[in-house]
Amino acid sequence: MLERSTKIESPGVLKAGNPNKSLASWQGRKTEIAQIQQWLTDKNTFLIGIEGIGGTGKSMLATKIYDEIADFPKRFWADVSNGAGFSDLARQVLSEFGFPVPEQETQLVEALVGCLRSGQFLLIIDNLESLLQPDRQWGSLFYGDFFQAWVEDGGNSKVIVTTRERPELKGFEWLTLKGLQVDEGVALLTVLGIRGDLTQFVELVDGHPLLLRLVADLLKEEYSQDPDLSRLADLGLGNLRQLLTDSQVVGIHHRKNVGMVLVLDASFNRLNELQKALLLNISVYRGAVDSAAAVAMLPGSSAPEIEEELRNLVKRSLLVDKLNGKRRFDFQPLILAYVRYQAGDQSEAHQKAIDYYRSIAKQPPWKTKDDVKEYLEIFDHFYQLQDYNSAFDSIRICNDFLTLRGYYVDKVELYGQLVSKWEEIGARENRNYQAALIFLGNAYDSLGQYQRAIEFYQQSLEISREIGDRNGEGKSLNNLGNAYNSLGQYQRAIEFFQQSLEISREIGDRNGEGASLGNLGNAYNSLGQYQRAIEFHQQSLEIKRDIGDRNGEGASLGNLGNAYNSLGQYQRAIEFLQQSLEIFKEIGDRNGEGASLISLGNAYNSLGQYQRAIEFLQQSLEISKEIGDRNGEGASLGNLGNAYNSLGQYQRAIEF
């Protein structure tokens, strides 16, 4: 377990800002620092990798570089050990460095590369192995594209990564980090207050920094008056030398990990029962936790008692203390692997974590991904429990929000995991499986990967036909039509919409019938057959009114308005769009309201009433910002630019 890199399966929230690691007892590494400094000044080196087994101090070396290397006025630290998606990383880096954040996820790679090319920035990505699959391929979309693009384009900025495993990617300068030199290891133990035959011990453990620190902290905690290496025998580590030099233990990596397990066993066995329970239970969490999260795992203990024990575990180097506004506690990855192994079945702890996150989950409205992080954690815990239906339910709560905010890659990873598992266990009749296929298709569609979207819509269609679900079949056909419409294959799209329409009429699904007619109208509108489009939108409108679907009625009126706008009948278009706007206001559909305001703005712009157009577009911009619709916000800004351009206010137009 210690030697294996752990891929975080579901996306988490990025841990970013600064390294938050203490360099108080830093020793040596002069050769390694000199090598990295050379690469940092080399104009042909853009990407630097620090590789090594767990506990060799990769993150600490990167922290030293981050804190002390000059010539980089702006720098950013990103810890991706929690499975952070590329979108989170790119958005935060762009914001931190003062660059605009594009509304489309697919534009983020280009935007980040452009940002790094424009100045002299330092970007450090810590714990990269969390993003790699067992075959060393990327488990998260866009990371590979970014590194490839950065290697090809380069610039004055530098990107440094730390990892236990190299990705399959050319263009890196690699530093393989080993243990400390003997004199450096002796200096570290001396600074930590340890006595005895230091040279012999450092040689024995190959100068492994984490192992040296664990031994030092164990001795100081147990024998504060006399922390001498000779005391290791009293702690059950008398045979450490014999075990580490055993001929059956082959290879330096294995030796270090054997030593690590022996020392961790000794440390763990010396803990009191509360400390053991605390470690075992909080290891179920992803990322740093505060004392409240720890108390939720052991409800019988008081908060001050838990806080004190957490700090005691920090003294033993079994936890890391992070002070960034609020005190939080985290595991070093190697120690986390050990503790989870000790914990065994963590079903009960996962359930407690779910209950805790439910108790603190924020209610809508949400503005940032951070506002829904509890739901992402609940998803992960249900997923670990193999309760895939509950995992699906937990993420469906914030599905619309993730769509509105443009977190399509997160949706791909979340629904993709569920689809893979349901496929594996043969849950074809599970309605959630079908829904997940559609959500996955929708996410790929939003990313512009229409061919991939079609694959999942096709699977959904096949399952619906197999189990005789005519309603699901109609929806799948509609989705396929929308994807082909996006590809510009309007005739193919029309065929799917027509089939969907026939099924809806056959089973008496008036809502589905209205949706199919509306989609047919959109397809004919794309073909420039505006009169034909109007006929379909008119039929759709009648059905929506007939069944009392006010939202659908508003959408049909909006589509009619857009079609008349395309015909140049602006006054007629405005009448329909005004009705659409009133309905959306009445039912409180802020998204629809914003869309109607944009269309009205465009119609008035076409009429030459630019000031009136600006008023509508300004209102739509305010709504988009309020509901967190980044896509709508971008559209409003672009159209405001067009209106000011028409007014001849070019500088203002450029700003928008």
Side-chain angles (χ1 to χ4, degrees):
M1 279 194 75
L2 295 187
E3 289 171 7
R4 174 180 90 197
S5 293
T6 306
K7 162 77 174 77
I8 302 292
E9 292 187 312
S10 30
V13 177
L14 179 71
K15 293 184 274 185
N18 58 63
N20 233 344
K21 298 178 193 296
S22 170
L23 296 169
S25 52
W26 177 267
Q27 295 297 325
R29 298 296 195 193
K30 290 179 183 175
T31 307
E32 292 89 343
I33 291 171
Q35 176 62 81
I36 291 175
Q37 278 180 316
Q38 183 188 324
W39 284 331
L40 289 173
T41 55
D42 181 358
K43 292 193 174 177
N44 295 316
T45 299
F46 311 121
L47 200 49
I48 300 165
I50 304 173
E51 175 201 25
I53 65 168
T56 49
K58 301 179 295 295
S59 300
M60 295 303 289
L61 178 57
T63 300
K64 184 81 170 170
I65 300 296
Y66 182 95
D67 284 355
E68 297 180 11
I69 295 294
D71 302 326
F72 293 98
K74 287 191 177 179
R75 52 196 72 193
F76 190 89
W77 179 282
D79 179 357
V80 296
S81 61
N82 200 20
F86 177 77
S87 302
D88 285 345
L89 178 127
R91 284 178 167 127
Q92 288 201 41
V93 173
L94 289 167
S95 298
E96 183 72 20
F97 291 166
F99 285 76
V101 180
E103 61 189 74
Q104 298 294 333
E105 272 192 306
T106 48
Q107 298 167 353
L108 285 168
V109 169
E110 186 183 346
L112 183 55
V113 169
C115 155
L116 294 174
R117 277 179 59 80
S118 71
Q120 196 159 345
F121 307 123
L122 178 64
L123 171 60
I124 296 181
I125 303 175
D126 193 25
N127 296 307
L128 191 74
E129 73 278 348
S130 296
L131 305 172
L132 297 174
Q133 301 283 18
D135 59 1
R136 296 200 291 164
Q137 298 300 314
W138 298 102
S140 185
L141 288 178
F142 296 132
Y143 275 103
D145 295 339
F146 162 67
F147 286 122
Q148 196 62 56
W150 178 239
V151 166
E152 288 171 4
D153 293 346
N156 292 325
S157 296
K158 303 292 179 190
V159 178
I160 298 177
V161 307
T162 74
T163 184
R164 287 164 63 180
E165 200 170 355
R166 292 189 189 189
E168 287 286 351
L169 187 67
K170 293 175 183 175
F172 273 94
E173 291 290 354
W174 284 105
L175 173 72
T176 301
L177 198 62
K178 297 179 180 175
L180 294 168
Q181 298 290 332
V182 175
D183 59 331
E184 296 171 347
V186 168
L188 176 60
L189 289 175
T190 303
V191 165
L192 294 173
I194 304 304
R195 296 190 286 274
D197 192 342
L198 306 186
T199 300
Q200 186 187 60
F201 187 75
V202 172
E203 287 174 346
L204 179 67
V205 299
D206 299 304
H208 191 278
L210 181 58
L211 194 45
L212 292 173
R213 185 174 287 279
L214 281 167
V215 166
D217 289 342
L218 177 60
L219 288 170
K220 284 192 295 183
E221 283 297 301
E222 297 299 328
Y223 306 107
S224 57
Q225 301 303 312
D226 181 26
D228 193 287
L229 288 168
S230 61
R231 294 279 196 172
L232 289 175
D234 301 331
L235 295 170
L237 290 169
N239 61 346
L240 187 61
R241 167 172 291 281
Q242 178 192 336
L243 287 166
L244 287 183
T245 54
D246 192 303
S247 59
Q248 291 179 64
V249 183
V250 180
I252 288 176
H253 289 194
H254 295 304
R255 260 176 62 201
K256 286 177 181 171
N257 283 333
V258 166
M260 184 67 67
V261 172
L262 292 168
V263 172
L264 284 170
D265 278 344
S267 296
F268 188 77
N269 291 334
R270 304 294 290 195
L271 300 178
N272 63 42
E273 290 308 308
L274 179 56
Q275 289 170 339
K276 285 180 183 175
L278 196 49
L279 266 190
L280 295 174
N281 279 279
I282 66 170
S283 70
V284 82
Y285 287 116
R286 300 191 300 173
V289 297
D290 57 17
S291 54
V295 169
M297 285 292 160
L298 299 164
S301 306
S302 68
E305 187 181 12
I306 292 290
E307 178 84 24
E308 184 185 351
E309 294 297 17
L310 287 167
R311 294 189 189 195
N312 286 333
L313 291 166
V314 169
K315 288 177 187 173
R316 291 176 177 266
S317 286
L318 295 172
L319 287 177
V320 181
D321 195 356
K322 295 192 171 184
L323 265 176
N324 194 5
K326 185 178 182 182
R327 188 183 294 275
R328 299 171 77 81
F329 302 88
D330 205 354
F331 284 94
Q332 202 272 0
L334 202 68
I335 294 173
L336 178 61
Y338 170 84
V339 174
R340 283 184 174 170
Y341 175 75
Q342 284 285 359
D345 180 9
Q346 291 187 290
S347 300
E348 193 179 333
H350 279 299
Q351 193 57 59
K352 284 179 183 173
I354 289 165
D355 294 341
Y356 170 67
Y357 283 124
R358 278 178 171 161
S359 73
I360 63 167
K362 291 186 180 71
Q363 297 304 308
W366 304 305
K367 291 188 176 177
T368 68
K369 186 181 166 186
D370 202 52
D371 291 338
V372 297
K373 64 184 178 185
E374 286 81 17
Y375 297 99
L376 297 178
E377 296 307 319
I378 290 168
F379 172 92
D380 183 67
H381 289 290
F382 272 128
Y383 186 82
Q384 298 302 329
L385 287 170
Q386 299 179 12
D387 184 351
Y388 305 123
N389 285 316
S390 296
F392 175 83
D393 291 340
S394 70
I395 210 63
R396 194 167 188 171
I397 294 167
C398 52
N399 179 69
D400 291 344
F401 169 79
L402 292 172
T403 302
L404 271 178
R405 293 297 290 177
Y407 282 102
Y408 309 124
V409 172
D410 282 338
K411 290 180 65 177
V412 163
E413 292 180 8
L414 292 161
Y415 292 119
Q417 288 177 71
L418 293 175
V419 162
S420 296
K421 286 296 178 185
W422 277 322
E423 206 169 79
E424 201 180 291
I425 61 179
R428 287 174 78 79
E429 295 193 14
N430 186 335
R431 292 299 171 104
N432 286 340
Y433 176 33
Q434 287 177 269
L437 283 167
I438 289 171
F439 286 144
L440 190 52
N442 291 345
Y444 276 114
D445 189 85
S446 299
L447 284 169
Q449 297 186 27
Y450 305 121
Q451 211 55 58
R452 202 77 206 279
I454 285 167
E455 289 171 24
F456 291 108
Y457 292 147
Q458 198 68 52
Q459 284 182 55
S460 168
L461 177 63
E462 286 166 15
I463 291 171
S464 296
R465 284 176 171 165
E466 187 183 305
I467 64 175
D469 177 6
R470 297 288 275 164
N471 189 291
E473 186 180 350
K475 285 179 180 172
S476 299
L477 287 163
N478 251 332
N479 285 320
L480 279 163
N482 286 330
Y484 280 107
N485 198 53
S486 298
L487 279 171
Q489 298 185 32
Y490 306 124
Q491 211 54 58
R492 190 89 190 270
I494 286 167
E495 289 169 19
F496 282 113
F497 292 142
Q498 202 66 56
Q499 290 177 60
S500 170
L501 178 62
E502 286 165 15
I503 288 173
S504 297
R505 284 175 171 166
E506 180 193 316
I507 64 175
D509 177 10
R510 297 283 280 161
N511 192 35
E513 185 181 352
S516 300
L517 288 163
N519 286 330
L520 278 163
N522 291 335
Y524 279 108
N525 198 65
S526 300
L527 279 170
Q529 298 185 32
Y530 306 123
Q531 207 55 57
R532 192 86 192 273
I534 286 167
E535 289 168 21
F536 282 112
H537 287 315
Q538 196 66 55
Q539 291 178 61
S540 171
L541 176 62
E542 286 165 15
I543 288 173
K544 296 298 182 183
R545 281 178 172 163
D546 190 29
I547 63 175
D549 177 2
R550 295 289 278 164
N551 191 289
E553 184 182 350
S556 297
L557 287 163
N559 286 329
L560 278 165
N562 291 332
Y564 278 109
N565 197 53
S566 299
L567 276 173
Q569 297 185 32
Y570 306 124
Q571 209 55 58
R572 191 87 192 273
I574 286 167
E575 289 169 20
F576 282 112
L577 292 168
Q578 199 66 55
Q579 290 178 61
S580 166
L581 177 63
E582 285 164 15
I583 287 174
F584 287 131
K585 278 183 174 175
E586 179 195 316
I587 64 175
D589 181 351
R590 299 290 276 164
N591 196 26
E593 190 180 339
S596 298
L597 287 163
I598 287 178
S599 296
L600 276 165
N602 290 337
Y604 278 108
N605 198 56
S606 300
L607 278 172
Q609 297 185 33
Y610 308 125
Q611 209 54 56
R612 192 86 191 273
I614 285 167
E615 288 169 20
F616 282 113
L617 294 169
Q618 199 66 53
Q619 289 177 58
S620 107
L621 177 63
E622 286 164 17
I623 288 173
S624 297
K625 283 180 173 175
E626 181 193 317
I627 64 174
D629 178 7
R630 296 286 281 166
N631 196 31
E633 190 179 339
S636 302
L637 289 163
N639 287 314
L640 277 164
N642 292 336
Y644 278 106
N645 196 60
S646 301
L647 276 172
Q649 297 186 31
Y650 307 123
Q651 202 54 51
R652 194 87 194 273
I654 286 166
E655 288 165 20
F656 282 112

